[in-house]
Amino acid sequence: MATDIIIAPSVLAADFGELAAEIAAIDEAGADWIHLDVMDGHFVPNLTFGPPIIKIVRAVSTKIFDAHLMVSNPDRLLETYADAGADIITVHAEACPHLYRTVSRIRELGCKAGVALNPHTPPDCLAYVLDRIDLVLLMTVNPGFGGQSFISAMTDKIARVKEMIGKCDITIEVDGGITMDTAGVVVAAGATALVAGSAIFRGDGTAAYAKNIAAIRQAAASHSSQGD
Ligand code: DX5
Ligand code: ZN
């Protein structure tokens, strides 16, 4: 049987002026997770939002809140993100000198722990935290902005990480340039959670978002069943 694919719309592409309504719309449109891109203007050259906003929008959806922290030294605020309502907290390996401690702490806070890797970062840094993490987020663009093109060299990396994690219960999530045209190749390589911003938040509201999610889901499903 094909693995169920998780679709995680990134609210980076939403209308921030109507963020709560946009999250309600994407929830109703069939999102599995809500992907929240936190940027600090330091680790990445862009700024978004942090725990106070996450806490406010937590009230509009019961779906999994998937917080992607593109921030330097996230350790100090982990508890604040957990309190704000994040279910998954993903930190960048490049931003964490004590990654083992950081991911252990995320689990202690009752959240799922994720590690994100920039496109140039080799997956070897995951080897000694595999028993401490629930998710690997492979950036398929350089983080910081939506609407960029998928880096096709990342397909091999997905396959390599899939091999590395073996039978461990770890989700492989991909983020950046995921559309109905690229969903198939990443799923065929081993990704099971797909983040998509600009490919989903286009058109007007729930009906359009539902159509966009369905198109990505369908493209993913046709590939995920090939290897079964
Ligand atoms: C990029 C963010 C992504 C972004 C994806 O730094 O982590 O989540 O929103 O946007 P698209 O799907 O437009 O590439
Ligand atoms: Zn992201």
Side-chain angles (χ1 to χ4, degrees), residues 87-178:
D87 298 294
I88 303 168
I89 300 180
T90 295
V91 294
H92 269 262
E94 305 86 359
C96 296
H98 307 290
L99 185 62
Y100 189 95
R101 182 193 291 154
T102 304
V103 292
S104 302
R105 179 72 185 133
I106 293 171
R107 280 189 167 175
E108 275 168 25
L109 291 166
C111 298
K112 303 269 191 205
V115 175
L117 303 182
N118 281 336
H120 75 280
T121 305
D124 311 42
C125 61
L126 299 169
Y128 295 98
V129 294
L130 286 178
D131 63 333
R132 310 254 130 194
I133 63 175
D134 305 285
L135 178 142
V136 174
L137 191 169
L138 295 176
M139 289 308 306
T140 41
V141 299
N142 287 292
F145 302 95
Q148 303 180 77
S149 299
F150 176 76
I151 300 173
S152 57
M154 294 302 105
T155 310
D156 274 359
K157 190 171 170 185
I158 298 165
R160 197 165 149 214
V161 169
K162 184 178 161 66
E163 209 177 298
M164 267 184 91
I165 64 178
K167 291 200 184 317
C168 298
D169 186 15
I170 297 174
T171 300
I172 301 179
E173 184 176 43
V174 286
D175 185 2
I178 304 301

Coordinates of all heavy atoms in Angstrom, one line a residue, residues 87-178:
D87 N 3.4 21.7 17.7 CA 3.5 20.3 18.0 C 4.8 19.7 17.5 O 5.3 18.8 18.2 CB 2.3 19.6 17.2 CG 1.0 20.1 17.6 OD1 0.6 19.8 18.7 OD2 0.3 20.8 16.8
I88 N 5.3 20.2 16.4 CA 6.6 19.8 15.9 C 7.5 21.0 16.0 O 7.1 22.1 15.5 CB 6.6 19.2 14.5 CG1 5.6 18.1 14.4 CG2 8.0 18.8 14.0 CD1 5.2 17.7 12.9
I89 N 8.7 20.9 16.5 CA 9.6 22.0 16.5 C 10.9 21.5 15.7 O 11.5 20.6 16.1 CB 10.0 22.5 17.9 CG1 8.8 23.0 18.7 CG2 11.1 23.6 17.8 CD1 9.1 23.5 20.1
T90 N 11.1 22.2 14.6 CA 12.3 21.8 13.8 C 13.3 22.9 13.8 O 13.0 24.1 13.6 CB 11.8 21.5 12.3 OG1 10.9 20.4 12.3 CG2 13.0 21.3 11.4
V91 N 14.5 22.5 14.1 CA 15.6 23.5 14.2 C 16.6 23.1 13.1 O 16.7 22.0 12.6 CB 16.4 23.4 15.5 CG1 15.5 23.8 16.7 CG2 16.9 22.0 15.8
H92 N 17.4 24.1 12.7 CA 18.4 23.9 11.6 C 19.7 23.4 12.3 O 20.2 24.0 13.2 CB 18.7 25.2 10.8 CG 17.8 25.3 9.6 ND1 18.2 25.0 8.4 CD2 16.5 25.7 9.5 CE1 17.2 25.1 7.5 NE2 16.2 25.6 8.2
A93 N 20.2 22.3 11.7 CA 21.5 21.7 12.2 C 22.6 22.8 12.2 O 23.4 22.9 13.1 CB 21.9 20.6 11.4
E94 N 22.5 23.7 11.1 CA 23.6 24.7 11.0 C 23.5 25.8 12.1 O 24.5 26.5 12.3 CB 23.4 25.4 9.6 CG 23.4 24.5 8.4 CD 22.0 23.9 8.1 OE1 21.1 24.2 8.8 OE2 21.9 23.1 7.1
A95 N 22.4 25.9 12.8 CA 22.2 26.9 13.8 C 22.3 26.4 15.2 O 22.2 27.1 16.1 CB 20.8 27.5 13.6
C96 N 22.7 25.1 15.3 CA 22.7 24.5 16.7 C 24.0 23.8 16.9 O 24.3 22.7 16.5 CB 21.6 23.4 16.8 SG 20.0 24.1 16.6
P97 N 24.9 24.5 17.7 CA 26.2 23.9 18.0 C 26.1 22.7 18.9 O 26.9 21.8 18.9 CB 27.0 25.0 18.8 CG 25.9 26.0 19.2 CD 24.8 25.9 18.2
H98 N 25.0 22.6 19.7 CA 24.7 21.4 20.5 C 23.4 20.7 20.1 O 22.5 20.7 20.9 CB 24.7 21.9 22.0 CG 25.9 22.7 22.4 ND1 27.1 22.1 22.5 CD2 26.1 24.0 22.6 CE1 28.0 23.1 22.8 NE2 27.4 24.2 22.9
L99 N 23.4 20.2 18.9 CA 22.2 19.7 18.3 C 21.6 18.6 19.2 O 20.4 18.5 19.3 CB 22.5 19.2 16.9 CG 21.3 18.7 16.1 CD1 20.3 19.9 15.9 CD2 21.7 18.2 14.7
Y100 N 22.4 17.7 19.7 CA 21.9 16.6 20.5 C 21.1 17.1 21.7 O 20.0 16.7 22.0 CB 23.1 15.8 21.0 CG 22.7 14.4 21.6 CD1 22.7 13.3 20.9 CD2 22.4 14.4 23.0 CE1 22.4 12.0 21.5 CE2 22.1 13.2 23.6 CZ 22.1 12.0 22.8 OH 21.8 10.8 23.4
R101 N 21.7 18.1 22.4 CA 21.0 18.7 23.5 C 19.7 19.4 23.1 O 18.6 19.3 23.7 CB 21.9 19.7 24.2 CG 21.3 20.3 25.4 CD 22.1 21.6 25.9 NE 23.3 21.2 26.4 CZ 24.4 22.0 26.4 NH1 24.3 23.2 25.9 NH2 25.6 21.6 27.0
T102 N 19.7 20.1 22.0 CA 18.6 20.9 21.5 C 17.4 19.9 21.2 O 16.3 20.2 21.6 CB 18.9 21.7 20.3 OG1 20.1 22.5 20.6 CG2 17.8 22.6 19.8
V103 N 17.7 18.9 20.4 CA 16.5 18.0 20.0 C 16.0 17.2 21.3 O 14.8 16.9 21.4 CB 16.9 17.1 18.9 CG1 17.1 17.9 17.6 CG2 18.1 16.2 19.1
S104 N 16.9 16.9 22.2 CA 16.5 16.2 23.4 C 15.5 17.1 24.2 O 14.5 16.7 24.7 CB 17.7 15.8 24.3 OG 18.6 15.0 23.6
R105 N 15.9 18.4 24.3 CA 15.1 19.3 25.0 C 13.7 19.5 24.3 O 12.7 19.6 25.0 CB 15.8 20.7 25.0 CG 15.1 21.8 25.7 CD 15.0 21.6 27.2 NE 14.2 22.6 27.9 CZ 13.3 22.3 28.8 NH1 13.1 21.1 29.2 NH2 12.6 23.3 29.4
I106 N 13.6 19.5 23.0 CA 12.3 19.6 22.3 C 11.4 18.5 22.8 O 10.3 18.7 23.1 CB 12.5 19.7 20.8 CG1 13.3 20.9 20.4 CG2 11.2 19.6 20.1 CD1 13.7 21.0 18.9
R107 N 12.0 17.3 22.8 CA 11.2 16.1 23.2 C 10.8 16.2 24.7 O 9.6 15.9 25.1 CB 11.9 14.8 23.0 CG 11.8 14.4 21.5 CD 12.4 13.0 21.4 NE 12.1 12.4 20.1 CZ 12.6 11.2 19.8 NH1 13.3 10.5 20.6 NH2 12.2 10.7 18.6
E108 N 11.7 16.7 25.5 CA 11.3 16.9 27.0 C 10.1 17.8 27.1 O 9.4 17.7 28.1 CB 12.5 17.5 27.7 CG 13.5 16.5 28.2 CD 14.8 17.3 28.7 OE1 14.7 18.5 29.0 OE2 15.9 16.7 28.6
L109 N 10.0 18.8 26.2 CA 8.9 19.7 26.3 C 7.6 19.2 25.7 O 6.6 19.8 25.7 CB 9.3 21.0 25.4 CG 10.4 21.9 26.0 CD1 10.9 22.9 25.0 CD2 9.9 22.6 27.3
G110 N 7.7 17.9 25.3 CA 6.4 17.2 24.9 C 6.2 17.4 23.4 O 5.1 17.1 22.9
C111 N 7.1 17.9 22.6 CA 6.9 18.1 21.2 C 7.7 17.1 20.4 O 8.6 16.4 20.9 CB 7.4 19.5 20.8 SG 6.5 20.9 21.6
K112 N 7.4 16.9 19.1 CA 8.2 16.1 18.2 C 9.4 17.0 17.8 O 9.2 18.2 17.6 CB 7.4 15.8 17.0 CG 6.1 15.0 17.3 CD 6.3 13.5 17.3 CE 5.0 12.8 17.3 NZ 5.2 11.4 17.9
A113 N 10.5 16.3 17.6 CA 11.7 17.1 17.3 C 12.1 16.8 15.9 O 12.2 15.7 15.4 CB 12.9 16.6 18.2
G114 N 12.4 18.0 15.2 CA 12.8 17.9 13.8 C 14.2 18.6 13.6 O 14.5 19.5 14.3
V115 N 14.9 18.1 12.6 CA 16.2 18.7 12.2 C 16.1 19.1 10.7 O 15.8 18.2 9.9 CB 17.4 17.8 12.5 CG1 18.7 18.5 11.9 CG2 17.6 17.5 14.0
A116 N 16.4 20.4 10.4 CA 16.4 20.8 9.0 C 17.8 20.9 8.5 O 18.7 21.3 9.3 CB 15.7 22.2 8.9
L117 N 18.0 20.6 7.3 CA 19.3 20.8 6.6 C 19.2 21.7 5.4 O 18.3 21.4 4.5 CB 19.8 19.4 6.2 CG 20.0 18.3 7.2 CD1 20.6 17.0 6.6 CD2 20.8 18.7 8.4
N118 N 20.1 22.7 5.4 CA 20.1 23.5 4.2 C 20.6 22.6 3.0 O 21.2 21.6 3.2 CB 21.1 24.6 4.4 CG 20.5 25.8 5.2 OD1 19.3 25.9 5.2 ND2 21.3 26.5 5.9
P119 N 20.4 23.1 1.8 CA 20.8 22.3 0.6 C 22.2 21.8 0.6 O 22.5 20.7 0.2 CB 20.5 23.2 -0.6 CG 19.4 24.1 -0.1 CD 19.7 24.3 1.4
H120 N 23.2 22.6 1.1 CA 24.6 22.3 1.0 C 25.0 21.4 2.2 O 26.2 20.9 2.2 CB 25.5 23.5 1.0 CG 25.6 24.1 2.4 ND1 24.6 25.0 2.9 CD2 26.5 24.0 3.3 CE1 25.0 25.3 4.1 NE2 26.1 24.8 4.4
T121 N 24.2 21.2 3.2 CA 24.6 20.5 4.4 C 24.5 18.9 4.2 O 23.4 18.4 3.9 CB 23.8 20.9 5.6 OG1 23.8 22.3 5.8 CG2 24.2 20.2 6.9
P122 N 25.6 18.2 4.3 CA 25.5 16.8 4.2 C 24.7 16.1 5.3 O 24.8 16.6 6.4 CB 27.0 16.3 4.2 CG 27.8 17.5 4.4 CD 26.9 18.7 4.7
P123 N 24.1 15.0 5.0 CA 23.2 14.4 6.0 C 24.0 13.7 7.2 O 23.3 13.3 8.1 CB 22.3 13.4 5.3 CG 22.9 13.3 3.9 CD 23.9 14.4 3.7
D124 N 25.3 13.6 7.1 CA 26.0 12.8 8.1 C 25.8 13.4 9.5 O 25.9 12.6 10.5 CB 27.5 12.9 7.8 CG 27.9 12.6 6.3 OD1 27.1 13.0 5.4 OD2 28.8 11.9 6.1
C125 N 25.5 14.7 9.6 CA 25.4 15.3 10.9 C 24.2 14.7 11.7 O 24.0 14.9 12.9 CB 25.3 16.8 10.8 SG 23.9 17.3 9.9
L126 N 23.3 13.9 11.0 CA 22.2 13.3 11.6 C 22.5 12.0 12.3 O 21.7 11.6 13.2 CB 21.1 13.0 10.5 CG 20.5 14.2 9.7 CD1 19.7 13.7 8.6 CD2 19.7 15.1 10.6
A127 N 23.6 11.4 12.0 CA 23.9 10.0 12.4 C 23.7 9.8 13.9 O 23.1 8.8 14.3 CB 25.3 9.6 11.9
Y128 N 24.2 10.7 14.7 CA 24.2 10.5 16.1 C 23.0 11.1 16.9 O 23.0 11.2 18.1 CB 25.5 10.9 16.8 CG 26.6 10.0 16.2 CD1 27.4 10.5 15.2 CD2 26.8 8.7 16.7 CE1 28.4 9.6 14.7 CE2 27.8 7.9 16.2 CZ 28.6 8.4 15.2 OH 29.6 7.6 14.7
V129 N 22.0 11.6 16.1 CA 20.8 12.1 16.7 C 19.6 11.3 16.2 O 18.4 11.7 16.6 CB 20.6 13.6 16.5 CG1 21.6 14.4 17.3 CG2 20.5 14.0 15.1
L130 N 19.8 10.3 15.5 CA 18.7 9.6 14.9 C 17.7 9.0 15.9 O 16.5 8.9 15.6 CB 19.1 8.4 13.9 CG 19.7 8.9 12.6 CD1 20.2 7.7 11.8 CD2 18.7 9.7 11.8
D131 N 18.2 8.7 17.1 CA 17.3 8.1 18.1 C 16.6 9.2 18.9 O 15.8 8.9 19.8 CB 18.1 7.2 19.1 CG 19.2 8.0 19.8 OD1 19.7 9.0 19.3 OD2 19.5 7.6 20.9
R132 N 16.9 10.5 18.6 CA 16.3 11.6 19.3 C 15.4 12.4 18.5 O 14.9 13.5 18.9 CB 17.5 12.6 19.7 CG 18.6 12.0 20.4 CD 18.6 12.3 21.8 NE 18.8 11.1 22.6 CZ 18.5 11.0 23.9 NH1 18.1 12.0 24.6 NH2 18.7 9.8 24.5
I133 N 15.2 12.1 17.2 CA 14.4 12.9 16.3 C 13.2 12.2 15.7 O 13.2 11.0 15.6 CB 15.2 13.6 15.2 CG1 15.9 12.6 14.3 CG2 16.3 14.5 15.9 CD1 16.6 13.2 13.1
D134 N 12.2 13.0 15.3 CA 11.0 12.4 14.7 C 10.9 12.8 13.3 O 10.1 12.3 12.5 CB 9.8 12.9 15.5 CG 9.9 12.6 17.0 OD1 9.7 11.5 17.3 OD2 10.2 13.6 17.8
L135 N 11.7 13.8 12.9 CA 11.5 14.4 11.5 C 12.8 14.9 11.0 O 13.6 15.5 11.8 CB 10.4 15.4 11.6 CG 10.1 16.2 10.3 CD1 8.6 16.5 10.3 CD2 10.8 17.6 10.3
V136 N 13.1 14.7 9.7 CA 14.2 15.4 9.0 C 13.6 16.3 8.0 O 12.7 15.8 7.2 CB 15.2 14.4 8.4 CG1 16.2 15.2 7.6 CG2 15.9 13.6 9.4
L137 N 13.9 17.6 8.0 CA 13.3 18.5 7.0 C 14.5 18.8 6.0 O 15.4 19.5 6.4 CB 12.8 19.8 7.7 CG 12.0 20.7 6.8 CD1 11.3 21.8 7.7 CD2 12.7 21.4 5.8
L138 N 14.3 18.4 4.8 CA 15.3 18.7 3.8 C 14.9 19.9 3.0 O 13.9 19.9 2.3 CB 15.5 17.5 2.9 CG 16.1 16.2 3.6 CD1 16.2 15.0 2.7 CD2 17.5 16.5 4.2
M139 N 15.7 20.9 3.1 CA 15.4 22.1 2.3 C 15.7 21.8 0.9 O 16.8 21.4 0.5 CB 16.3 23.3 2.8 CG 15.9 23.9 4.2 SD 14.2 24.3 4.4 CE 13.9 25.4 3.0
T140 N 14.8 22.1 0.0 CA 15.0 21.9 -1.4 C 15.1 23.2 -2.2 O 15.1 23.2 -3.4 CB 13.8 21.0 -2.0 OG1 12.6 21.4 -1.4 CG2 14.0 19.5 -1.6
V141 N 15.2 24.3 -1.4 CA 15.7 25.6 -1.8 C 16.5 26.2 -0.7 O 16.5 25.6 0.4 CB 14.5 26.6 -2.1 CG1 13.6 26.1 -3.2 CG2 13.7 26.9 -0.8
N142 N 17.2 27.3 -0.9 CA 17.9 27.9 0.2 C 16.8 28.7 1.0 O 16.0 29.4 0.4 CB 19.0 28.9 -0.4 CG 20.1 28.1 -0.9 OD1 20.9 27.5 -0.2 ND2 20.3 28.1 -2.2
P143 N 16.8 28.5 2.3 CA 15.7 29.0 3.1 C 15.7 30.5 3.2 O 16.7 31.2 3.0 CB 15.9 28.4 4.5 CG 17.4 28.1 4.5 CD 17.8 27.8 3.1
G144 N 14.5 31.1 3.4 CA 14.4 32.5 3.5 C 13.2 33.1 2.7 O 12.6 34.1 3.1
F145 N 12.9 32.5 1.6 CA 11.9 33.1 0.7 C 11.0 32.0 0.1 O 11.5 30.9 -0.2 CB 12.5 33.9 -0.4 CG 13.4 35.0 0.2 CD1 14.8 34.8 0.4 CD2 12.8 36.2 0.6 CE1 15.6 35.8 0.9 CE2 13.6 37.2 1.2 CZ 15.0 37.0 1.3
G146 N 9.8 32.3 -0.2 CA 8.9 31.4 -0.9 C 9.1 31.6 -2.4 O 9.8 32.6 -2.8
G147 N 8.5 30.8 -3.2 CA 8.4 31.0 -4.6 C 9.7 30.7 -5.4 O 9.9 31.1 -6.5
Q148 N 10.7 30.0 -4.8 CA 11.9 29.7 -5.5 C 11.8 28.3 -6.2 O 10.9 27.5 -5.9 CB 13.1 29.6 -4.5 CG 13.3 30.8 -3.6 CD 14.5 30.7 -2.7 OE1 15.6 30.7 -3.1 NE2 14.2 30.4 -1.4
S149 N 12.7 28.1 -7.1 CA 12.7 26.8 -7.8 C 13.4 25.7 -7.1 O 14.4 25.8 -6.5 CB 13.4 27.0 -9.2 OG 12.8 27.9 -9.9
F150 N 12.8 24.5 -7.1 CA 13.3 23.3 -6.6 C 14.7 23.0 -7.1 O 14.9 23.1 -8.3 CB 12.3 22.1 -7.0 CG 12.7 20.8 -6.6 CD1 12.5 20.4 -5.3 CD2 13.2 19.9 -7.5 CE1 12.9 19.1 -4.9 CE2 13.6 18.6 -7.1 CZ 13.4 18.2 -5.8
I151 N 15.6 22.6 -6.1 CA 16.9 22.3 -6.5 C 17.0 20.8 -6.8 O 16.9 20.0 -5.9 CB 17.9 22.6 -5.4 CG1 17.9 24.2 -5.1 CG2 19.4 22.2 -5.8 CD1 18.7 24.6 -3.9
S152 N 17.1 20.4 -8.0 CA 16.9 19.0 -8.4 C 18.0 18.0 -7.8 O 17.7 16.9 -7.6 CB 16.8 18.8 -9.9 OG 18.0 19.3 -10.5
A153 N 19.2 18.6 -7.4 CA 20.2 17.8 -6.8 C 19.8 17.2 -5.5 O 20.3 16.3 -4.9 CB 21.5 18.5 -6.6
M154 N 18.7 17.8 -4.9 CA 18.2 17.3 -3.6 C 17.5 16.0 -3.6 O 17.3 15.3 -2.6 CB 17.3 18.4 -3.0 CG 17.9 19.7 -2.6 SD 19.3 19.5 -1.5 CE 20.7 19.7 -2.5
T155 N 17.2 15.6 -4.8 CA 16.5 14.3 -5.0 C 17.4 13.1 -4.4 O 16.9 12.3 -3.7 CB 16.1 14.0 -6.4 OG1 15.4 15.2 -6.9 CG2 15.2 12.8 -6.6
D156 N 18.7 13.2 -4.8 CA 19.6 12.2 -4.3 C 19.8 12.2 -2.8 O 19.9 11.2 -2.1 CB 21.0 12.5 -4.9 CG 21.2 11.9 -6.2 OD1 20.3 11.2 -6.7 OD2 22.3 12.1 -6.8
K157 N 19.7 13.4 -2.3 CA 19.9 13.6 -0.8 C 18.7 13.0 -0.1 O 18.9 12.4 1.0 CB 20.0 15.1 -0.5 CG 20.4 15.4 0.9 CD 20.7 16.9 1.0 CE 20.9 17.4 2.4 NZ 21.1 18.9 2.4
I158 N 17.5 13.1 -0.6 CA 16.3 12.5 0.0 C 16.6 11.0 0.1 O 16.3 10.4 1.1 CB 15.1 12.9 -0.8 CG1 14.8 14.4 -0.8 CG2 13.8 12.1 -0.2 CD1 13.8 14.8 -1.9
A159 N 17.0 10.4 -1.0 CA 17.2 9.0 -1.1 C 18.3 8.6 -0.1 O 18.2 7.5 0.6 CB 17.6 8.6 -2.5
R160 N 19.3 9.4 0.0 CA 20.4 9.1 1.0 C 19.9 9.1 2.4 O 20.2 8.2 3.2 CB 21.5 10.1 0.8 CG 22.8 9.6 1.4 CD 24.0 10.3 0.9 NE 25.0 10.4 1.9 CZ 25.8 11.4 2.2 NH1 25.8 12.4 1.4 NH2 26.7 11.3 3.2
V161 N 19.1 10.1 2.7 CA 18.6 10.2 4.1 C 17.6 9.0 4.4 O 17.6 8.4 5.4 CB 17.9 11.6 4.3 CG1 17.1 11.6 5.6 CG2 18.9 12.7 4.3
K162 N 16.8 8.7 3.4 CA 15.9 7.5 3.6 C 16.7 6.3 3.9 O 16.3 5.5 4.8 CB 15.1 7.3 2.3 CG 14.1 6.2 2.4 CD 13.3 6.1 1.1 CE 12.6 4.8 0.9 NZ 11.5 4.5 1.9
E163 N 17.8 6.1 3.2 CA 18.7 4.9 3.5 C 19.3 5.0 4.9 O 19.3 4.0 5.6 CB 19.8 5.0 2.5 CG 20.4 3.6 2.1 CD 21.4 3.8 1.1 OE1 21.1 4.2 0.0 OE2 22.6 3.5 1.4
M164 N 19.7 6.2 5.3 CA 20.3 6.4 6.6 C 19.3 6.1 7.7 O 19.7 5.5 8.7 CB 20.7 7.9 6.8 CG 22.0 8.3 6.4 SD 22.3 10.0 6.8 CE 22.9 9.9 8.5
I165 N 18.1 6.5 7.6 CA 17.1 6.4 8.7 C 16.6 4.9 8.8 O 16.1 4.5 9.8 CB 16.0 7.4 8.7 CG1 15.1 7.2 7.5 CG2 16.5 8.8 8.8 CD1 13.9 8.2 7.4
G166 N 16.8 4.2 7.7 CA 16.4 2.7 7.7 C 15.0 2.5 8.3 O 14.0 3.1 7.8
K167 N 14.9 1.8 9.4 CA 13.6 1.4 10.0 C 13.2 2.4 11.1 O 12.2 2.2 11.7 CB 13.6 0.0 10.5 CG 13.7 -1.0 9.4 CD 13.2 -2.4 9.9 CE 13.4 -3.5 8.9 NZ 13.0 -3.2 7.5
C168 N 14.0 3.4 11.4 CA 13.6 4.4 12.4 C 12.4 5.1 12.0 O 12.1 5.4 10.8 CB 14.7 5.5 12.6 SG 16.3 4.8 13.1
D169 N 11.5 5.4 13.0 CA 10.3 6.1 12.7 C 10.5 7.6 12.6 O 10.2 8.4 13.5 CB 9.3 5.7 13.9 CG 7.9 6.3 13.6 OD1 7.6 6.6 12.4 OD2 7.1 6.3 14.6
I170 N 11.0 8.0 11.4 CA 11.4 9.4 11.2 C 10.8 9.8 9.9 O 10.9 9.1 8.9 CB 12.9 9.6 11.2 CG1 13.5 9.2 12.5 CG2 13.3 11.0 10.8 CD1 15.1 9.3 12.5
T171 N 10.0 10.9 9.9 CA 9.4 11.4 8.7 C 10.4 12.2 7.9 O 11.2 13.0 8.5 CB 8.2 12.4 9.1 OG1 7.3 11.6 9.9 CG2 7.5 13.0 7.9
I172 N 10.4 12.0 6.6 CA 11.2 12.9 5.8 C 10.3 14.0 5.1 O 9.4 13.6 4.4 CB 12.0 12.1 4.6 CG1 12.9 11.0 5.3 CG2 12.8 13.1 3.8 CD1 13.6 10.2 4.2
E173 N 10.6 15.2 5.5 CA 9.8 16.3 5.0 C 10.7 17.1 4.0 O 11.9 17.3 4.2 CB 9.4 17.2 6.2 CG 8.5 18.4 5.8 CD 8.0 19.1 7.1 OE1 8.8 19.4 8.0 OE2 6.8 19.5 7.2
V174 N 10.1 17.6 3.0 CA 10.8 18.5 2.0 C 10.1 19.8 1.9 O 8.9 19.9 2.1 CB 10.9 17.8 0.6 CG1 11.8 16.7 0.6 CG2 9.5 17.4 0.1
D175 N 10.9 20.9 1.7 CA 10.4 22.2 1.8 C 11.1 23.1 0.8 O 12.4 23.3 0.8 CB 10.7 22.7 3.2 CG 10.1 24.1 3.5 OD1 9.5 24.7 2.6 OD2 10.3 24.5 4.7
G176 N 10.3 23.6 -0.2 CA 10.9 24.6 -1.1 C 10.7 24.2 -2.5 O 11.2 23.1 -2.9
G177 N 9.9 24.9 -3.3 CA 9.7 24.6 -4.7 C 8.9 23.3 -4.9 O 8.9 22.7 -6.0
I178 N 8.1 23.0 -3.9 CA 7.2 21.8 -4.1 C 5.9 22.2 -4.8 O 5.2 23.0 -4.3 CB 7.0 21.1 -2.8 CG1 8.3 20.7 -2.1 CG2 6.1 19.8 -3.0 CD1 9.2 19.8 -2.8

